Amino acid sequence: MKQVAIIFFIILSVQYSFAQKGQITGVIQEKQDIPISYVTVTLKDNGDRAIAAGISDAKGIFRLESITAGNYTISYTLAGFQTISRPVEVKTDEVINVGTVILEPDTKLLQEVSVTGQRSSVSLKLDKKVFEVGKDVLSQSGAVTDLLNVVPSVSVSPGGEISLRGNSNVLVLIDGRRTGLTQSNALEQVPADQVERVEVITNPSSRFDAGGSAGIINIILKKNKKAGFNGQLRLVGGIPNETRISPSLNYKSNKLNLFATYGIRFSDYVGLYTMKQSTGLSGTRADLDQRQDENRHDDAKLLYFGADFKINDHNTITAAFMRNSTHDHDKTQLNYLYSNKNGIIDSSLTRKGESWEKRSYNQLEFNYTKNFAKAGKKLTVDMQYDFWDSDKDWNLSTRKIFPAAVDLPMIRTGSMGESKDFMIKTDMVQPLDSTSTLEFGLKLEDRRVNTDFIAEQQNSAGWEIIDQIDNHLLYKELIGSAYVQFSGKTGALSYQAGLRGELTHIGIEDRAGTYTNEKNYNRLFPTLNVSYRFNERTTLQGSYSKRINRPRLGMIYPFNELTDLSSRYVGNPDLNPSYVNVFEIAFLKNWKTLTFNPSFYYQRNTGVMEDYTFRNAEGLFITMPVNIKRETRHGFELSVLYNPVKWLQVNTEFNLFHYAEQGSYKDQSFDYSGNTLTARVSAQLKLKNKLAFQTLYNFRGANATAQTHTDALHSIDVGLSKTFLKDKATLMFDISNLFGLRKSNSRTVGADYEISQASIPNAARYRLTLVYRFNQKDNQTVRQAKSGNRD
């Protein structure tokens, strides 16, 4: 307690010492109350000597502190705007608020600025890498998942799994919050052109949750800044069927900002999965050739509406509601062909499955923000209540074809689930002086998930329970966290150090008493970020963080579908989180036509979660996640952006890393090491009459674990766009997975068995997209949902 009092006294003393000199603060805006960031504010004496300088933040706010009393000239400078200079008098121990400064566009520079603002760019911030989304064709058509495949370091698998540097243990946020839209391919409902930038945070600071051992991908959506009534209409048609209608509206005045979005989606997906199992390799061999044809149809409706109310210049409240409902109808057919070691067919059968699933995800959101008179000082309070429910039914009919035609008993399964998740947090930003800031915050989250699962088989009297599969599971999770973080700057050196503490209590119980368990995880997570800026074009950065990777709910859920006769995936309620220490050094160099960004990183992960495949007593292959001892990973990543002429941009990236796993589970050793490579090349042509063309090639190298080897994966996407009607409309045509190259092949080897699989979850897709904007700038859109707290 004495140490806390001393620290508190020191902070007060520092604040008091800086208050003895004058301060200048204000807000810089365009007309119609649009704030301008990155404006250079310079204070000069009568001899034209610079006394102090600062840069406006995202809200247009700036502050200059520790200024000796006297008469000065203050100027505001930003490319594309006219420079403004005004006299100002500073007195001792006085805070001077210059009010709102309006910058006028410089018409001579507007054309040049608009050209350079078209292309995407990569920049290094103190604790993240920022990918600014430009007018790329593939960034404007399709969904967010398509856009992420263009972002350096990020990749999306054919099944929709998002990875960062080849590691899928990544936390995906929307506008800095956990999101339910990252589950079950729900990000496909968010149009790519609503994204302003993507922040890739491989070593997050302590202000972020510690979850996600690979790091954080933070998707920042565009915000409406234009006063009055505006919006857009988005229409999509595709083959296989992809029909989307998404109107968005916004009204903004001085005090009130109303926003609403409604989206309808009808989508069809065609999948093909093949598998060959060989068992009894050391004795009597038996083979199974399996083919699964899948047709999935998804209907979805998304509604989001709310309001920002500006009480006064210092206080704002936000309230919003989102509902995302889906109705899926899937059909699948599995064909099984069994043969002996001589290739002679023993038997064959076919199984047809049909499922219906309804999901409803709802969110209530509230935010209070207070900006103090002292520039940069800010208090925020956020509350969210998420509640969802789901209902899924499977009907399975099986028929033996050879050697004799026989109808086997019908099987049906049913699962129901619901979740309630409440979160409240508060954050405080306290500037200490013009170069240092203290941040701290608290967060509490309570989550409860209920699930029921039943499996039945038809008999002569009706229906009977299969293998006693009739159970109810309750999952409870309570997470409390607090953090403190200090950031500062000395000349060209910027630094940020923080510490986050998280206390987690988890309870799992079921009706049958099979999975009853309670766990507590209490850990400290330190972070450190250091950046040295040699000049405006050259930056060197180093960082360290400790993080936790909590199991996803699907990895814990012990019930499983009975669709496949030969294999199942089963969750593991005993699964524990893993912990990782991450070190990284990154360099960024910008030339006039070239951006060069290499990085070196090292990760040491303990308690790694790895899939374990085994064959049970009934001959069924079971895959479940388990904890193994450790994994180390170190690699080199390089991103190069080349823009030799205005009409051509080439972006290339590769990531080469070595990994080594150690550990065992039961009789299976997981000791394994290897190397792998991921790479992508993108080229965009900007032609005359606002016509643009882009192509993207993605490559994921072969990789392996002790049990499974996965072959390399290739994919090609192309797109073409045309903007017309005085930039009010854009028509885009794109093809994802051209030639159907996105095919995953894997081979799993175990004791006396071998499994080879090929997966094509999505065929090539052809899309035509029309976006029409009214009373809206081309780079703006109506506000979108921040979405849920948790996955």
Side-chain angles (χ1 to χ4, degrees), residues 152 595 638-642 650-654 679-683:
T595 298
L638 176 64
S639 177
V640 178
L641 178 66
Y642 184 47
V650 179
N651 191 350
T652 184
E653 171 207 345
F654 75 89
R680 65 165 57 104
V681 178
S682 172

Side-chain angles (χ1 to χ4, degrees), residues 278 281 613-614 621 668 706-708 747-755:
S278 298
L281 299 180
T613 300
F614 66 97
F621 285 96
Q668 174 66 53
Q707 283 193 299
T708 302
R747 178 171 169 264
T748 301
V749 178
D752 212 30
Y753 71 83
E754 182 178 309
I755 305 172

Side-chain angles (χ1 to χ4, degrees), residues 378-611:
K378 182 171 70 172
L379 170 69
T380 59
V381 178
D382 288 279
M383 287 188 290
Q384 280 186 214
Y385 178 59
D386 302 334
F387 53 102
W388 61 257
D389 58 80
S390 65
D391 186 351
K392 184 174 184 179
D393 295 302
W394 266 103
N395 285 346
L396 300 166
S397 63
T398 309
R399 179 179 175 83
K400 193 170 185 178
I401 299 174
F402 181 83
V406 179
D407 287 327
L408 301 178
M410 284 282 296
I411 293 175
R412 68 185 186 187
T413 63
S415 60
M416 298 180 65
E418 64 174 9
S419 173
K420 294 180 174 62
D421 185 6
F422 176 75
M423 182 277 296
I424 182 170
K425 71 170 186 173
T426 179
D427 298 273
M428 183 72 180
V429 179
Q430 173 66 64
L432 302 180
D433 56 34
S434 59
T435 60
S436 60
T437 302
L438 181 69
E439 299 178 52
F440 48 91
L442 299 169
K443 181 179 179 181
L444 179 68
E445 184 176 357
D446 180 67
R447 186 188 195 197
R448 292 173 179 265
V449 183
N450 285 279
T451 55
D452 286 277
F453 189 83
I454 187 172
E456 299 173 295
Q457 181 173 288
Q458 194 172 28
N459 58 25
S460 57
W463 295 89
E464 61 181 349
I465 303 297
I466 302 175
D467 300 331
Q468 299 180 335
I469 302 177
D470 182 9
N471 209 344
H472 171 86
L473 186 77
L474 173 62
Y475 176 85
K476 297 180 292 184
E477 182 180 76
L478 181 65
I479 302 176
S481 59
Y483 77 92
V484 61
Q485 181 169 281
F486 177 81
S487 59
K489 184 176 181 181
T490 303
L493 180 67
S494 300
Y495 50 89
Q496 185 181 80
L499 182 66
R500 187 179 189 90
E502 293 193 354
L503 288 72
T504 304
H505 173 76
I506 292 176
I508 302 174
E509 58 185 79
D510 68 322
R511 185 169 55 231
T514 308
Y515 308 108
T516 301
N517 199 357
E518 288 196 1
K519 298 180 180 180
N520 294 283
Y521 311 118
N522 305 320
R523 294 289 189 278
L524 293 175
F525 301 93
T527 64
L528 177 64
N529 295 274
V530 180
S531 178
Y532 188 83
R533 191 176 185 183
F534 295 92
N535 51 53
E536 292 184 357
R537 297 179 177 270
T538 309
T539 305
L540 179 66
Q541 187 181 88
S543 58
Y544 161 77
S545 70
K546 181 177 181 179
R547 302 191 61 74
I548 183 175
N549 184 38
R550 295 185 178 89
R552 298 187 300 273
L553 188 60
M555 302 174 72
I556 298 174
Y557 189 68
F559 312 133
N560 52 84
E561 302 288 357
L562 307 182
T563 312
D564 189 1
L565 283 168
S566 60
S567 61
R568 295 177 192 167
Y569 181 88
V570 181
N572 180 5
D574 293 326
L575 203 62
N576 292 316
S578 62
Y579 299 89
V580 62
N581 290 279
V582 184
F583 301 85
E584 181 175 354
I585 296 177
F587 179 74
L588 180 68
K589 176 66 177 179
N590 284 305
W591 287 276
K592 187 176 181 180
T593 60
L594 182 70
T595 298
F596 180 71
N597 178 212
S599 302
F600 296 89
Y601 60 91
Y602 173 81
Q603 300 175 355
R604 183 177 177 85
N605 200 335
T606 58
V608 181
M609 288 174 276
E610 186 65 81
D611 280 346

Side-chain angles (χ1 to χ4, degrees), residues 250-268:
N250 202 105
Y251 175 78
K252 189 177 189 307
S253 65
N254 290 335
K255 290 286 187 179
L256 189 65
N257 181 35
L258 300 173
F259 46 88
T261 297
Y262 183 69
I264 303 175
R265 174 176 64 91
F266 308 101
S267 301
D268 291 326

Side-chain angles (χ1 to χ4, degrees), residues 4-268:
V4 175
I6 292 174
I7 294 173
F8 183 70
F9 176 75
I10 292 173
I11 293 174
L12 288 179
S13 299
V14 170
Q15 289 181 278
Y16 178 76
S17 64
F18 283 108
Q20 298 306 299
K21 293 187 177 182
Q23 302 178 23
I24 302 176
T25 184
V27 179
I28 305 174
Q29 296 180 348
E30 292 184 63
K31 291 182 178 179
Q32 300 175 326
D33 297 330
I34 301 176
I36 309 177
S37 56
Y38 303 111
V39 177
T40 300
V41 183
T42 307
L43 190 70
K44 295 183 179 181
D45 61 15
N46 294 331
D48 203 32
R49 182 171 60 93
I51 302 300
I55 296 177
S56 62
D57 62 15
K59 294 184 179 294
I61 300 172
F62 73 91
R63 69 178 186 274
L64 305 176
E65 298 188 350
S66 303
I67 303 170
T68 305
N71 294 310
Y72 302 95
T73 299
I74 188 169
S75 62
Y76 311 90
T77 307
L78 180 65
F81 292 87
Q82 299 176 19
T83 298
I84 295 178
S85 297
R86 294 173 179 171
V88 61
E89 181 182 1
V90 178
K91 297 180 180 179
T92 303
D93 197 18
E94 181 182 39
V95 178
I96 299 174
N97 191 335
V98 298
T100 301
V101 179
I102 304 297
L103 292 190
E104 297 285 346
D106 189 334
T107 55
K108 295 181 180 179
L109 296 178
L110 275 180
Q111 184 176 2
E112 179 182 353
V113 173
S114 64
V115 171
T116 58
Q118 297 290 319
R119 70 181 182 91
S120 305
S121 62
V122 180
S123 61
L124 280 182
K125 303 301 181 183
L126 184 57
D127 59 350
K128 58 196 169 191
K129 180 189 294 184
V130 180
F131 178 79
E132 301 286 347
V133 178
K135 295 294 184 65
D136 304 15
V137 179
L138 297 178
S139 297
Q140 300 297 304
S141 60
V144 170
T145 48
D146 301 304
L147 169 63
L148 291 177
N149 257 329
V150 186
V151 175
S153 309
V154 181
S155 60
V156 182
S157 73
E161 183 179 61
I162 300 172
S163 299
L164 179 57
R165 288 177 172 167
N167 190 340
S168 61
N169 297 321
V170 60
L171 177 62
V172 180
L173 306 176
I174 290 184
D175 287 340
R177 297 184 181 181
R178 292 179 183 260
T179 168
L181 289 177
T182 61
Q183 299 302 304
S184 303
N185 297 331
L187 271 178
E188 292 184 354
Q189 297 184 53
V190 181
D193 66 350
Q194 293 177 357
V195 178
E196 178 178 295
R197 65 182 184 275
V198 177
E199 298 175 345
V200 178
I201 313 173
T202 51
N203 264 337
S205 66
S206 61
R207 76 166 67 93
F208 292 100
D209 289 345
S213 59
I216 293 174
I217 299 171
N218 188 21
I219 301 167
I220 305 297
L221 301 178
K222 295 174 182 175
K223 308 296 189 298
N224 177 68
K225 299 177 181 178
K226 190 172 183 179
F229 181 76
N230 58 83
Q232 72 173 33
L233 175 65
R234 181 184 181 87
L235 303 174
V236 180
I239 302 174
N241 176 45
E242 182 171 0
T243 305
R244 299 172 187 253
I245 304 173
S246 302
S248 298
L249 300 173
N250 202 105
Y251 175 78
K252 189 177 189 307
S253 65
N254 290 335
K255 290 286 187 179
L256 189 65
N257 181 35
L258 300 173
F259 46 88
T261 297
Y262 183 69
I264 303 175
R265 174 176 64 91
F266 308 101
S267 301
D268 291 326

